[in-house]
Amino acid sequence: MYYDSFESPLGKIHLLADGSGLRQLTLCLHHPVESCKQWKHSPKHLAPYKKQILEFLNGERAQFDIPLAPDGTEFQHKVWQILRGIPYGETRSYADIAKEIGNPKAYRAVGMANNVNPIPLVIPCHRVIGSDGELTGYRYGLEIKQKLLTMEKNGD
């Protein structure tokens, strides 16, 4: 199990991965980072993840092709899989995603799955907005969410 931290256009990013893939990405804005005492610091192992994340944040990459290994429930994994299918520069509502998983009344549960998404950016929960087109909750704040959406819309 490996970890690394690096500076990005959004501030410090912390990555956790194992042999299965990327397990966690944390934007270290105001949030404590999980203790890594049991993990090995390995910038070399995490270099491919870091490279793709920086390319995305610099407007040079629209899709990721890195292995992911997030922990979550079956429902959360269904939601996260749908999130990964939202095209770069587009958005969907919580209700859209609930309908896509076959449970139109589960939009609040979809919101909770977004909230606990352990790999934001790569699993693009920032692309989910309210049914009325308004920005709604984002663990790292609406300012960051707007910045990401604007970056994707403008292709920067």
Side-chain angles (χ1 to χ4, degrees):
M1 303 212 194
Y2 308 97
Y3 77 93
D4 193 21
S5 296
F6 60 94
E7 290 298 326
S8 82
L10 295 179
K12 185 169 267 193
I13 291 181
H14 190 78
L15 302 177
L16 298 173
D18 62 16
S20 300
L22 186 61
R23 300 184 68 78
Q24 185 178 0
L25 181 155
T26 304
L27 301 174
C28 304
L29 306 172
H30 310 291
H31 303 277
V33 176
E34 179 181 317
S35 172
C36 297
K37 291 182 180 176
Q38 73 276 19
W39 300 72
K40 179 181 177 188
H41 183 239
S42 180
K44 182 180 177 183
H45 182 83
L46 291 162
Y49 304 105
K50 175 182 173 180
K51 179 180 186 294
Q52 288 193 28
I53 291 162
L54 287 172
E55 288 171 348
F56 171 77
L57 292 172
N58 289 321
E60 301 163 358
R61 171 178 291 277
Q63 296 181 351
F64 294 93
D65 62 359
I66 52 179
L68 304 180
D71 287 328
T73 66
E74 183 179 339
F75 179 83
Q76 289 166 342
H77 279 275
K78 283 181 187 178
V79 170
W80 299 336
Q81 189 61 37
I82 292 169
L83 297 181
R84 293 191 69 202
I86 301 172
Y88 183 88
E90 295 185 20
T91 58
R92 299 290 185 273
S93 72
Y94 297 95
D96 292 336
I97 294 167
K99 288 176 193 165
E100 195 167 336
I101 61 173
N103 190 347
K105 294 182 180 181
Y107 55 90
R108 283 195 173 104
V110 167
M112 291 308 298
N114 274 13
N115 186 50
V116 298
N117 171 12
I119 311 175
L121 306 179
V122 182
I123 300 175
C125 54
H126 63 276
R127 295 181 188 152
V128 184
I129 60 174
S131 294
D132 60 1
E134 293 294 317
L135 291 188
T136 56
Y138 187 60
R139 180 173 31 176
Y140 297 105
L142 294 182
E143 184 178 320
I144 296 292
K145 185 173 189 169
Q146 183 63 65
K147 184 175 184 175
L148 291 167
L149 292 173
T150 300
M151 174 196 78
E152 289 186 16
K153 184 178 179 185
N154 295 335
D156 314 335

